[in-house]
Amino acid sequence: MSKVRGILKQIGSFLSRLRFERQLVRRIQRRTVTQEHLTDADSLVFSQTVQESIESRKPFISIVPLNTVPDDVLQRLERAISRTLDIETEITPPLDLAFAFDSSRNQYNSTVILTRLLEILPDGAFKILGVTNVDLFIPILTFVFGEAQLNGAAAVVSMYRMENELYGLPRDERNLQDRLTKELFHELGHTFGLLHCDDYDCVMHASTYAEEIDLKSDSFCASCYEWVSSILADK
Amino acid sequence: MNKKDIGILIVDDEPSVRNSLSKWFEEDGYRVGSANDAADAQRKLQEGRWDIVFLDIKLPGMDGVELQKRIKEIDPHIITIMITAYASVDTAVRSLKEGAFDYVTKPIDPDYLTHLVNNAVRQQQLTIENIQLREQITKLHKFDEIICESSQMEKVLELAKMVAPTDTTVMIRGESGVGKELVARLIHANSKRRYFPFVPVNCGGMAESLLESEFFGHEKGAFTGAEYQRKGKLEMADGGTLFLDEVGNVSMKTQMDLLRTLETKQFTRLGGNKVINVDFRVVCATNKNLEFAIEEGTFREDFYYRLNVFTIFIPPLRERPADIPPLAEHFVQKYAISMNKNITGISDEAMEMLKRHHWPGNVRELANAIERAVVIEPGPLLRKEDLPIQIVQKSESPQLESLEAVEKAHIQYILEKTDRNISQAARTLKIDRVTLYSKIKKYGLK
Ligand SMILES: [Zn+2]
Ligand SMILES: [Zn+2]
């Protein structure tokens, strides 16, 4: 028993060291920690890893929960991004959306949110994605699922209008997450400069109502994917 | 049609509306522009081509309804969609009567907007197709108005069909009313340019400055009263056929400008300096003796040679009496149907009279005479009494035995032939103008 416990402890400390290492690398990448902050021991233990990561300082995508968004939702988004685009993500502390609230419409102005997101773009992040469950709008339209800066860094997406309950249907968490993932990729695609795609299966196909999101897949078609990966290759 | 070929212009004084709509359509792949007031919008409309214009009903200066009217004047094919607040729906409905495609109330449901624009695009393409279709229908219609049994007309149609598929410039000659435009349309309909417009320009009876602007169009402010840019016929004919009717009436200066365009396939709008490229075929028509006009110095020789490549002469109706009965029957049928009258044909007596008439106004005169007769005849046959009185007098074709009668008839004939151009008629008759005037007065030839 004690032997098993000893092995588990070893594994545990190995994992925590690994986690610490990764965190450190990220903090260095984002320049929240510089090499000078490291203790001698730290630098001895991790110097090699740290050195490598500083040299390669991979850009990442910052994910910002706006108001409150469940952790599991955010983590599933992270996994989807890493699976599809092989990009690192980083979840920041939540941002309060009071500044974007329009009391006359009782909705949140997504364009205003985009502007704020750009201001808080972390060092080393090349995209910043706001995720929320409040009702978003742009001035001329009744609502939007999300908005992105075409060829820019910021995008925002909301699951508010994606919830089946809003349309008198029973809540469907799985479906909601799928819709959110698709629209997140869609808006992310816009930040890469992609326009709407005629391919009905492509995530860049425009969807103007919730059920329409279900009709498309959560992946880019070959040509849209090629476009995104050619941009990522330059990073 | 590719979305990036479709231009959407957004006219609104609110930057947030402009920006959010622009972005929405940009992401959809459209070419997008915006303007913040009526003046800005008109400038944009002159600078480039726009297919769909979103217009705020309330604009500073000129309001949206007025602007939408102006846009329709500049180009009736532009689709206009009014943007309105709930309070101004009445105004929006009024703008529909002025030709707006639809209106949207702020804020717009995104799905509705998407469908609206899709419909607008479809409508626009339909309009383009409709124009071509309508033209084809008129062409077909005109086609069967080329009704003939005479060998002379058979020959004309044969020539027209032969030259049609080539891109050769064609000059159609013949007295007025013989159907020169119909033959021109027949040529266009049988050419490779048939899916592009057939653009007729009547060069007669228009002031020189107007005719110039008719041809070349003008930029805003090119002359007093030119408040907006206007597309000229040369531009409209791009890809198709430009039909210059009564080309003998074009002034020397405009002849020179036209000649230059025909040679370079380029021109500029009046008051502008942007070079516009055009590609069209020219078919022209004249009832004038152009050779005589050249001698006289009123028609440019180089322009003449440019136009007179392939000539088709349409003989006057009186020289092909075999065509009168089928044409007359055709017109009776046509007008009886359109006036909903039970007239089935023409009495023998009336037909005899028609055949004997001189028809100085040719097929057009015949059509007019029959139209009038159909109005007054209750049916079932068109009678001699129904035919306009002039015909009766002339068809009696009376005492031409006396020299005076012959002189009167001849002067009448020359006057018609020269389009009542006194100087030209006098020259042809080899008498001076004063003498001609006194003879006109004497014989009562108004
Ligand atoms: Zn989109
Ligand atoms: Zn695609």
Side-chain angles (χ1 to χ4, degrees):
Chain A
M1 247 3 221
S2 67
K3 215 175 181 184
V4 174
R5 213 175 292 135
I7 293 171
L8 283 176
K9 207 178 159 191
Q10 265 191 337
I11 293 173
S13 75
F14 173 75
L15 285 178
S16 73
R17 222 176 76 184
L18 205 67
R19 205 174 303 131
F20 176 65
E21 189 177 323
R22 278 188 58 186
Q23 271 177 14
L24 195 64
V25 168
R26 283 186 184 172
R27 283 160 71 195
I28 289 168
Q29 282 171 348
R30 274 173 283 145
R31 295 182 215 130
T32 49
V33 174
T34 64
Q35 263 179 291
E36 291 85 283
H37 290 110
L38 301 175
T39 63
D40 284 352
D42 285 339
S43 38
L44 272 177
V45 177
F46 301 115
S47 63
Q48 206 183 340
T49 329
V50 167
Q51 205 53 48
E52 277 170 14
S53 59
I54 288 170
E55 277 160 14
S56 63
R57 205 175 270 169
K58 274 184 105 178
F60 66 99
I61 291 177
S62 173
I63 296 178
V64 188
L66 306 169
N67 287 356
T68 46
V69 179
D71 272 342
D72 57 326
V73 169
L74 297 172
Q75 279 155 17
R76 273 187 227 116
L77 289 178
E78 281 198 292
R79 281 202 293 276
I81 291 173
S82 116
R83 204 171 45 233
T84 308
L85 298 173
D86 191 30
I87 305 172
E88 295 246 3
T89 51
E90 183 67 38
I91 298 168
T92 73
L95 175 69
D96 187 85
L97 279 185
F99 66 92
F101 186 67
D102 186 320
S103 56
S104 69
R105 294 187 53 152
N106 201 23
Q107 288 175 303
Y108 292 79
N109 187 322
S110 65
T111 314
V112 172
I113 297 173
L114 285 187
T115 311
R116 173 64 61 87
L117 287 177
L118 279 177
E119 287 164 9
I120 59 165
L121 180 76
D123 270 336
F126 74 115
K127 302 287 178 198
I128 182 164
L129 304 178
V131 180
T132 187
N133 50 22
V134 301
D135 198 7
L136 299 177
F137 77 96
I138 59 173
I140 192 65
L141 297 182
T142 48
F143 78 93
V144 287
F145 290 127
E147 191 187 351
Q149 252 196 320
L150 202 55
N151 262 317
V156 58
V157 61
S158 165
M159 50 195 142
Y160 180 84
R161 297 266 177 169
M162 298 174 188
E163 299 204 41
N164 265 335
E165 282 167 305
L166 206 67
Y167 307 96
L169 297 166
R171 193 171 174 82
D172 185 341
E173 288 296 343
R174 174 92 190 259
N175 174 266
L176 178 62
Q177 181 80 42
D178 284 349
R179 289 176 179 175
L180 181 65
T181 307
K182 288 175 189 178
E183 286 311 284
L184 185 96
F185 275 131
H186 181 96
E187 298 305 342
L188 188 60
H190 281 318
T191 67
F192 283 107
L194 284 174
L195 300 178
H196 289 157
C197 181
D198 288 335
D199 186 336
Y200 281 89
D201 215 25
C202 177
V203 78
M204 288 316 290
H205 193 74
S207 315
T208 47
Y209 55 100
E211 286 89 338
E212 203 178 13
I213 305 174
D214 301 338
L215 299 178
K216 64 187 177 187
S217 75
D218 62 358
S219 50
F220 295 98
C221 73
S223 76
C224 288
Y225 186 75
E226 195 180 8
W227 175 267
V228 172
S229 37
S230 75
I231 290 175
L232 285 176
D234 292 342
K235 291 279 167 201
Chain B
M1 197 184 262
N2 209 313
K3 275 187 176 174
K4 68 174 193 301
D5 296 330
I6 297 165
I8 300 181
L9 182 67
I10 294 142
V11 188
D12 201 303
D13 56 322
E14 254 178 81
S16 70
V17 170
R18 279 202 308 274
N19 295 340
S20 56
L21 261 189
S22 300
K23 199 172 150 215
W24 177 263
F25 291 128
E26 260 165 41
E27 285 178 358
D28 250 332
Y30 294 105
R31 181 170 57 83
V32 188
S34 64
N36 52 30
D37 59 23
D40 193 13
Q42 286 172 59
R43 208 160 32 243
K44 294 263 163 43
L45 283 161
Q46 285 170 1
E47 281 164 7
R49 204 180 62 87
W50 301 99
D51 303 283
I52 301 170
V53 182
F54 277 83
L55 275 171
D56 195 351
I57 289 251
K58 275 201 229 144
L59 287 171
M62 186 195 297
D63 80 320
V65 181
E66 181 60 26
L67 177 60
Q68 107 89 17
K69 258 167 76 183
R70 303 260 173 115
I71 292 172
K72 287 284 176 184
E73 278 165 25
I74 296 171
D75 184 346
H77 303 318
I78 293 179
I79 286 192
T80 49
I81 296 168
M82 313 304 291
I83 306 172
T84 153
Y86 274 111
S88 50
V89 164
D90 283 351
T91 324
V93 171
R94 212 166 56 235
S95 71
L96 291 186
K97 293 197 185 108
E98 302 277 11
F101 179 71
D102 207 341
Y103 69 88
V104 287
T105 312
K106 281 187 279 193
I108 315 163
D109 176 73
D111 192 48
Y112 181 78
L113 182 60
T114 303
H115 277 93
L116 180 64
V117 171
N118 286 347
N119 287 342
V121 169
R122 209 168 300 140
Q123 165 75 36
Q124 237 244 352
Q125 280 168 298
L126 273 179
T127 313
I128 295 165
E129 280 165 24
N130 265 344
I131 292 165
Q132 288 169 351
L133 204 68
R134 214 179 308 138
E135 212 173 74
Q136 238 135 10
I137 290 164
T138 32
K139 263 182 283 183
L140 285 173
H141 180 62
K142 303 285 181 193
F143 226 129
D144 58 28
E145 273 187 30
I146 304 186
I147 282 164
C148 56
E149 259 166 33
S150 67
S151 58
Q152 294 104 305
M153 272 315 275
E154 295 277 301
K155 178 92 194 297
V156 165
L157 296 187
E158 215 173 278
L159 284 173
K161 281 179 184 159
M162 191 176 82
V163 76
T166 71
D167 224 16
T168 309
T169 303
V170 180
M171 183 182 277
I172 304 169
R173 305 184 71 155
E175 291 178 10
S176 52
V178 289
K180 296 189 287 291
E181 181 167 339
L182 292 192
V183 173
R185 283 183 187 274
L186 178 75
I187 290 170
H188 176 72
N190 287 282
S191 76
K192 63 179 163 57
R193 297 177 180 273
R194 63 182 167 278
Y195 297 116
F196 291 88
F198 174 86
V199 179
V201 187
N202 187 346
C203 311
M206 207 185 290
E208 182 182 342
S209 62
L210 279 180
L211 188 60
E212 237 188 320
S213 141
E214 181 86 356
F215 276 129
F216 301 100
H218 59 72
E219 297 292 349
K220 179 185 169 181
F223 47 84
T224 332
E227 250 186 279
Y228 302 102
Q229 180 207 65
R230 178 190 181 200
K231 253 192 189 184
K233 292 283 164 70
L234 300 183
E235 222 170 323
M236 287 163 67
D238 193 28
T241 303
L242 181 72
F243 176 58
L244 303 173
D245 201 5
E246 299 191 45
V247 72
N249 291 1
V250 177
S251 75
M252 291 294 273
K253 182 189 175 294
T254 307
Q255 285 176 36
M256 196 174 71
D257 294 338
L258 277 178
L259 179 63
R260 196 178 305 128
T261 304
L262 298 188
E263 272 163 0
T264 60
K265 293 178 188 293
Q266 286 183 336
F267 71 98
T268 55
R269 297 194 192 108
L270 300 186
N273 42 28
K274 195 179 121 204
V275 174
I276 295 164
N277 293 298
V278 278
D279 166 44
F280 50 76
R281 179 201 205 153
V282 174
V283 175
C284 65
T286 182
N287 55 7
K288 283 210 172 132
N289 184 335
L290 292 183
E291 294 75 12
F292 182 76
I294 292 168
E295 254 178 66
E296 204 186 24
T298 56
F299 206 84
R300 294 181 64 101
E301 199 169 359
D302 46 6
F303 190 46
Y304 171 82
Y305 283 114
R306 185 89 210 171
L307 296 177
N308 194 26
V309 182
F310 186 95
T311 305
I312 295 176
F313 176 74
I314 306 179
L317 190 56
R318 64 182 167 279
E319 286 177 18
R320 43 185 173 103
D323 289 339
I324 295 175
L327 278 168
E329 296 283 1
H330 165 77
F331 290 131
V332 167
Q333 214 177 37
K334 178 181 162 185
Y335 293 121
I337 289 169
S338 73
M339 294 176 211
N340 200 18
K341 295 195 78 161
N342 186 27
I343 297 172
T344 53
I346 303 172
S347 74
D348 292 347
E349 251 189 333
M351 187 61 92
E352 263 319 298
M353 189 183 284
L354 292 173
K355 280 199 273 191
R356 269 188 289 132
H357 182 57
H358 188 67
W359 299 115
N362 292 292
V363 185
R364 194 181 299 140
E365 189 191 353
L366 175 64
N368 291 344
I370 297 217
E371 185 179 6
R372 237 183 92 175
V374 170
V375 172
I376 51 177
E377 173 57 53
L381 284 183
L382 210 74
R383 290 166 305 137
K384 183 176 92 177
E385 294 74 26
D386 303 328
L387 294 168
I389 203 81
Q390 304 96 291
I391 293 183
V392 180
Q393 280 179 343
K394 280 178 188 166
S395 62
E396 293 297 312
S397 181
Q399 309 86 24
L400 275 186
E401 288 96 33
S402 79
L403 192 56
E404 274 197 346
V406 173
E407 184 179 65
K408 176 185 170 184
H410 186 62
I411 292 173
Q412 169 86 33
Y413 171 68
I414 295 299
L415 281 174
E416 273 154 13
K417 206 177 159 180
T418 57
D419 235 6
R420 299 199 73 84
N421 181 329
I422 301 295
S423 313
Q424 208 181 311
R427 268 192 302 273
T428 310
L429 292 166
K430 296 215 158 69
I431 54 176
D432 60 55
R433 291 175 42 181
V434 179
T435 313
L436 179 57
Y437 272 122
S438 66
K439 286 190 190 292
I440 287 172
K441 209 175 159 195
K442 178 179 166 194
Y443 297 124
L445 299 170
K446 289 224 178 99

